[in-house]
Amino acid sequence: MKIADRKTPKVGFVSLGCPKALVDSERILTRLRAEGYEVAPSYGAADLVVVNTCGFIDSAVDESLDAIGEALAENGKVIVTGCLGAQPQKILDRHPQVLKITGPQRYEEVVASVHEYLPPKHEPYVDLIPAGGVKLTPRHYAYLKISEGCNHHCSFCIIPSMRGRLVSRPIGEVLREAEQLARAGVKEILVISQDTSAYGVDLKYAAQPWRNAERRARFYDLAAALGELGIWIRLHYVYPYPHVDQVMELMAAGKVLPYLDIPFQHASARILKLMKRPAAAEDTLQRIEAWRRVVPDITIRSTFIVGFPGETDDDFEQLLDWMRVAQLDRVGCFEYSPVDGAAANRLSHPVPDEVKQQRRARFMELAAEISAQRLAQKVGRKMQVLVDRIEGNEAIARSASDAPEIDGTVRILAARGVKVGDFADVRITRAGAYDLEARLER
């Protein structure tokens, strides 16, 4: 049975998971807004609810199933999409009453499902879409997804089975979207994909025109073109292939932010081999040293997994020794969690949960020490920051070293006259383990 037509159909939306899923949500919402739908502020105000799920690890699956259950309890009419949608039986076993289930990147299917249960009301003479489309991020920054899927088969990951192999977007399409975002007032673009440095491999680096020049679909060429927009460009999910070294010249020239998000995951060669990590044979410490020679202020962030099956005390000590030398600026660490369908589930010698917890605690204690030491070196320095929000007389901002939601912040004291989305020049006055304090540099 279809829901009765209303003057203005309203859709509730729940977006879970990583920034790549957030971009998927933005695409769906942009299409729905174009067709006359409104985004409801609550379950009760919605005619139906779309839940964009995550299914990467067990805790994400549980969170997604709980979110579906909450939407059903509060509204009763739910369409499910996203990564967990690739495993529909898991959803149906818990929530058989959902209206429809689609997998990741199935934008057209989601919209068609909304049409089926909540027909659109067409208003062809009214422009419903703001410049840059519908964004779930603040107006001053946006994620730019350059590809879908991944060609790697890391043993702990099921992303390729959910999202498929690497499919890069044509470079002209990517650059036009980025230019539109910049024209709409976006001050920072965060480039994302499953493997950003592999961009264009599947396209055989096909060139397209942009700004009266041919641009090839390559990692370096894309970064160089984005650097022409005159806004902050931040690179995420970059595997340390040799050609990544070329981007250092763009950072040194101020074209893109001196920031690299590289998922190293571990430092033990044996564990990296068990993980089946790409670029596992690279001498990462030598590469980091070389990058810092070219770009002394580069910020390197990464994520690591401890307690992977077969990880010994010696493997873990190798990771700690590597961290002491690498001196990474921003670090996240996760205890290994089995994922249904992952090859790592077949590995022997699982690490007990209490050992995983101890190792993570030790790792994060070291990471905090390194972060505090590196941030202390910034006290007294002048830097440019981007303001995310205002709290009373203070502004919460980010420096070039800080990606939204995952890194630290710069708290500006006595920030009268500063607005959200402003760039501000500040002088750093205090450093903590992860965050900085500053005063405005008038």
Side-chain angles (χ1 to χ4, degrees):
M1 179 182 295
K2 295 181 176 61
I3 299 167
D5 185 32
R6 296 177 56 175
K7 184 176 181 181
T8 304
K10 294 181 173 62
V11 176
F13 209 98
V14 179
S15 184
L16 304 172
C18 64
K20 293 176 283 294
L22 184 71
V23 174
D24 294 345
S25 296
E26 290 173 344
R27 289 180 178 175
I28 295 167
L29 287 172
T30 295
R31 174 71 179 273
L32 291 175
R33 280 287 302 275
E35 295 180 349
Y37 293 89
E38 286 187 7
V39 180
S42 65
Y43 291 129
D47 297 301
L48 61 78
V49 178
V50 177
V51 180
N52 190 2
T53 60
C54 180
F56 183 51
I57 57 177
D58 287 349
S59 59
V61 171
D62 291 340
E63 181 185 13
S64 294
L65 291 173
D66 288 346
I68 295 167
E70 181 181 357
L72 284 168
E74 296 291 332
N75 183 281
K77 311 171 190 73
V78 177
I79 292 169
V80 179
T81 187
C83 286
L84 188 57
Q87 304 174 69
Q89 199 56 49
K90 274 190 178 181
I91 299 169
L92 292 172
D93 287 345
R94 178 87 70 89
H95 303 298
Q97 64 271 51
V98 297
L99 299 176
K100 278 287 178 69
I101 299 173
T102 73
Q105 303 156 230
R106 306 296 187 187
Y107 318 120
E108 297 298 329
E109 292 180 27
V110 176
V111 174
S113 298
V114 174
H115 287 173
E116 180 180 352
Y117 292 96
L118 185 64
K121 183 178 186 298
H122 296 286
E123 296 286 353
Y125 301 109
V126 180
D127 182 10
L128 298 171
I129 300 300
V134 175
K135 294 295 172 189
L136 299 177
T137 51
R139 292 185 62 183
H140 59 281
Y141 70 82
Y143 293 100
L144 178 67
K145 184 156 61 170
I146 62 174
S147 65
E148 301 282 5
C150 181
N151 287 345
H152 305 303
H153 298 281
C154 300
S155 60
F156 56 82
C157 181
I158 57 172
I159 291 296
S161 65
M162 287 183 171
R163 290 184 170 261
R165 290 180 61 80
L166 177 73
V167 179
S168 301
R169 297 174 61 194
I171 191 165
E173 176 184 310
V174 173
L175 293 175
R176 285 191 295 273
E177 180 180 344
E179 191 168 38
Q180 184 181 29
L181 290 170
R183 287 174 176 168
V186 167
K187 305 286 184 66
E188 176 185 11
I189 286 177
L190 301 101
V191 179
I192 58 170
S193 68
Q194 294 299 142
D195 181 357
T196 297
S197 38
Y199 172 69
V201 170
D202 56 309
L203 300 177
K204 298 182 179 178
Y205 312 117
Q208 289 188 337
W210 183 71
R211 288 191 172 183
N212 301 316
E214 289 290 306
R215 315 289 179 146
R216 298 188 69 189
R218 299 180 69 99
F219 174 62
Y220 173 84
D221 300 71
L222 174 63
L226 291 172
E228 296 178 21
L229 295 175
I231 61 177
W232 278 9
I233 303 297
R234 193 180 299 275
L235 303 173
H236 284 278
Y237 311 116
V238 178
Y239 286 84
Y241 306 130
H243 67 265
V244 171
D245 297 353
Q246 294 177 280
V247 177
M248 295 303 120
E249 65 186 62
L250 299 175
M251 294 182 181
K255 299 296 184 182
V256 301
L257 291 180
Y259 179 102
L260 271 185
D261 177 1
I262 298 182
F264 287 116
Q265 305 295 15
H266 214 282
S268 162
R270 193 180 70 84
I271 295 300
L272 288 169
K273 185 175 181 180
L274 288 174
M275 289 179 170
K276 296 185 178 179
R277 293 293 289 161
E282 293 290 332
D283 187 339
T284 50
L285 289 176
Q286 187 179 43
R287 299 284 297 291
I288 292 170
E289 183 181 2
W291 295 339
R292 284 179 172 150
R293 283 198 298 269
V294 180
V295 188
D297 283 340
I298 189 172
T299 295
I300 302 174
R301 101 163 313 275
S302 190
T303 52
F304 295 86
I305 297 173
V306 295
F308 191 78
E311 183 189 59
T312 64
D313 288 342
D314 182 63
D315 292 319
F316 179 66
E317 292 299 332
Q318 287 183 47
L319 174 58
L320 294 183
D321 290 343
W322 185 93
M323 271 291 292
R324 292 185 182 102
V325 177
Q327 294 284 296
L328 298 191
D329 303 85
R330 303 296 194 188
V331 170
C333 181
F334 303 92
E335 298 169 24
Y336 172 74
S337 174
V339 180
D340 285 349
N345 296 344
R346 298 190 293 271
L347 295 175
S348 56
H349 307 297
V351 178
D353 287 344
E354 61 271 21
V355 176
K356 294 180 190 177
Q357 294 165 9
Q358 293 167 5
R359 289 177 180 173
R360 182 183 182 277
R362 285 186 63 196
F363 181 92
M364 291 309 298
E365 182 179 3
L366 174 60
E369 291 175 6
I370 293 171
S371 176
Q373 291 167 6
R374 295 185 70 80
L375 289 181
Q377 297 171 15
K378 297 184 178 184
V379 173
R381 290 179 53 181
K382 179 181 176 181
M383 63 176 60
Q384 185 184 58
V385 298
L386 182 58
V387 178
D388 281 339
R389 65 183 188 274
I390 304 297
E391 295 182 356
N393 293 325
E394 299 177 353
I396 309 303
R398 291 179 293 107
S399 71
S401 298
D402 307 306
E405 307 295 337
I406 58 175
D407 292 328
T409 60
V410 180
R411 180 177 291 271
I412 309 172
L413 308 180
R416 286 178 298 178
V418 174
K419 300 186 296 296
V420 171
D422 282 352
F423 280 116
D425 291 327
V426 301
R427 184 79 61 177
I428 304 302
T429 57
R430 182 179 175 276
Y434 298 107
D435 304 309
L436 298 169
E437 282 188 4
R439 59 175 170 79
L440 287 174
E441 190 81 355
R442 300 292 183 180

